Amino acid sequence: MTIPMKQIKLRRLKMSLTNPFTTSFGTLQEKEFFITEVFDDEGRRGFGESVAFTSPWYSEETVETNHHVMKDFLIGLLRENNINHPNDVLEVFKPIKRNHMAKAALEGAVWDLYAKQKRIPLAEALGGSRQEIDVGISIGIQPTVDDLLQTIDQHVREGYKRIKIKIKPGWDYDVLKEVRKHFPDTPIMADANSAYTLQDTEHLKKLDELGLMMIEQPLAHDDIADHAQLQAALATPVCLDESIHSLNDTRKAIELGSCKIINIKIGRVGGLSEAKRIHDYCREHSIDVWCGGMLEAGVGRAQNIALTTLPQFVLPGDTAGSALYWKKDIIKPEVTAANGIIAVPDKPGIGYEIDDEALESFTVSEETFPL
Ligand SMILES: O=C(O)CCC(=O)C1=CC=C[C@@H](O)[C@@H]1C(=O)O
Ligand SMILES: [Mg+2]
């Protein structure tokens, strides 16, 4: 049976981060993104969230390209095609190349509406069964090593299950060595956001002595082959983030031995259906996965939680509590992590209420389209 969908609203939001997030590309203080809202005839609303940033430093997509692609291409495809199950959205969007974050923003809303129509939690609709998930934290680049140590200390005390630290040439081995000295037993990983090349192999091999959980995306954002050479030289597991856009990329990376771990980000792979396919493939091939964050507001955060209930999400993800990012989130209740554990909501759909007042207060503009 077709999923009844009447209209869709694209809401552009602007929210200020409580803690500015610094990467090798600059500091993010304000986040702009879209909340998508699909309505059915009975007043139910399914919500999605776009995760691209305003500039294309993480991937080629931006808030503006998300808007263009949703408005001028994807919404038309949703209107012209019958969607019987949220998995169909992936197929319906196939004529449009890439633009995965735009696709995921709409597909997520269809998944939420579908689960609400079925009166089941999104986690259950996806096939997940965990009632709680372990989460870690991702710390942006800090001004000094002392600042970093203090920040880590705070989050270790809060009970987060692993600490992710950003590295780049000149801010890597020495810093991590210092961190390891102060936190000998804490699960620690490093995210390089593509800052190295194969020429750095000897230098990166020094990290092996630090017992890191993994090094995330050391080489180019569009590489899979060089990572295989690097993984062969390192004892530290390589985790791919930016390089993995699809199940096909996943298959190639596993076949080549490019990584031992995959970070699944719903937006980067084009939605929940593809994320689940990647998860299933990794499960069959005994590759550990975890759910990466994109500094999401409540809707995206709720989707990450639902996805993480699938069994192969055996490593803690980036999905920390709302308060670490926002003074006020757009969902009720906000996401909270107690001792590094988030309880998975058991209400239908994403499982959190939308705080309409908050949503309204962060809205910069909105447009509605018939479906
Ligand atoms: O959502 C979070 O907690 C932050 C996750 C995070 O580390 C990242 C988000 C977006 C871009 C990157 O800087 C980084 C990553 O590459 O994983
Ligand atoms: Mg990353």
Side-chain angles (χ1 to χ4, degrees):
M1 204 191 77
T2 310
I3 302 175
M5 293 188 275
K6 196 171 78 178
Q7 61 178 36
I8 180 156
K9 190 183 271 187
L10 300 185
R11 242 177 220 278
R12 193 176 176 128
L13 270 68
K14 197 188 255 189
M15 290 172 70
S16 292
L17 286 159
T18 37
N19 298 305
F21 192 75
T22 301
T23 67
S24 48
F25 307 97
T27 299
L28 193 79
Q29 174 67 75
E30 294 224 283
K31 186 151 190 236
E32 279 186 56
F33 57 97
F34 287 93
I35 288 293
T36 59
E37 196 173 342
V38 183
F39 299 77
D40 72 5
D41 287 323
E42 289 168 46
R44 277 182 288 247
R45 307 183 296 164
F47 291 92
E49 180 173 330
S50 69
V51 297
F53 299 110
T54 42
S55 59
W57 56 264
Y58 170 79
S59 79
E60 66 277 21
E61 292 187 77
T62 66
V63 182
E64 286 302 327
T65 69
N66 282 178
H67 181 238
H68 167 50
V69 172
M70 288 193 290
K71 175 168 170 281
D72 296 332
F73 302 101
L74 301 177
I75 291 177
L77 289 173
L78 279 185
R79 188 181 303 127
E80 289 153 18
N81 291 278
N82 274 342
I83 309 288
N84 298 317
H85 186 277
N87 284 332
D88 297 348
V89 177
L90 191 65
E91 286 303 313
V92 162
F93 285 169
K94 268 228 168 104
I96 305 300
K97 301 289 175 291
R98 307 242 326 182
N99 286 288
H100 287 170
M101 295 176 183
K103 291 176 179 175
L106 296 176
E107 193 240 28
V110 177
W111 266 106
D112 183 32
L113 183 65
Y114 168 83
K116 284 172 176 162
Q117 287 169 350
K118 295 245 171 236
R119 297 189 178 84
I120 56 172
L122 177 60
E124 188 184 328
L126 290 168
S129 53
R130 279 202 185 99
Q131 278 158 19
E132 42 187 45
I133 61 164
D134 283 357
V135 293
I137 188 152
S138 173
I139 302 175
I141 292 174
Q142 302 293 311
T144 66
V145 176
D146 271 351
D147 290 317
L148 177 62
L149 294 173
Q150 270 180 40
T151 311
I152 296 173
D153 187 55
Q154 181 198 328
H155 296 309
V156 168
R157 281 165 197 275
E158 287 161 355
Y160 281 102
K161 304 282 185 201
R162 66 95 167 113
I163 303 289
K164 165 161 143 183
I165 296 162
K166 296 278 172 188
I167 56 165
K168 58 180 182 180
W171 182 269
D172 48 27
Y173 174 74
D174 295 337
V175 176
L176 289 168
K177 196 173 169 196
E178 201 57 24
V179 169
R180 184 45 93 209
K181 200 173 91 195
H182 286 80
F183 301 94
D185 306 317
T186 301
I188 288 167
M189 58 169 291
D191 186 2
N193 284 114
S194 310
Y196 300 90
T197 69
L198 274 182
Q199 284 173 343
D200 299 307
T201 303
E202 284 310 307
H203 180 64
L204 292 173
K205 274 164 88 166
K206 292 204 301 190
L207 301 181
D208 281 347
E209 73 186 58
L210 302 174
L212 302 178
M213 292 173 86
M214 70 193 91
I215 176 168
E216 182 178 348
Q217 196 68 35
L219 308 179
H221 70 96
D222 54 358
D223 169 76
I224 289 182
D226 285 356
H227 278 97
Q229 276 192 56
L230 182 68
Q231 180 65 91
L234 294 185
T236 307
V238 169
C239 167
L240 290 179
D241 174 359
E242 283 92 327
S243 296
I244 303 294
H245 297 272
S246 61
L247 174 60
N248 244 324
D249 290 340
T250 307
R251 177 183 59 74
K252 290 175 196 168
I254 295 175
E255 279 176 15
L256 286 175
S258 311
C259 63
K260 293 185 178 152
I261 298 172
I262 288 183
N263 161 349
I264 301 182
K265 288 184 179 168
I266 300 166
R268 198 190 64 232
V269 304
L272 285 159
S273 299
E274 189 73 0
K276 183 171 157 50
R277 290 170 73 200
I278 293 172
H279 161 276
D280 294 351
Y281 188 86
C282 288
R283 186 160 172 77
E284 278 163 36
H285 292 80
S286 303
I287 294 287
D288 291 350
V289 304
W290 54 277
C291 183
M294 289 289 283
L295 307 162
E296 288 91 347
V299 172
R301 200 159 292 281
Q303 288 179 356
N304 287 346
I305 294 168
L307 183 69
T308 306
T309 62
L310 294 173
Q312 196 64 7
F313 284 88
V314 292
L315 297 167
D318 284 335
T319 310
S322 302
L324 266 147
Y325 303 82
W326 316 111
K327 234 187 237 129
K328 180 152 189 53
D329 204 342
I330 54 171
I331 50 167
K332 291 186 287 196
E334 300 199 345
V335 174
T336 51
N339 215 10
I341 295 169
I342 294 177
V344 178
D346 56 8
K347 305 220 167 48
I350 56 170
Y352 297 86
E353 294 277 312
I354 295 298
D355 183 335
D356 284 304
E357 214 173 286
L359 189 65
E360 204 58 59
S361 73
F362 297 124
T363 299
V364 181
S365 59
E366 58 178 78
E367 297 156 279
T368 303
F369 305 86
L371 284 178

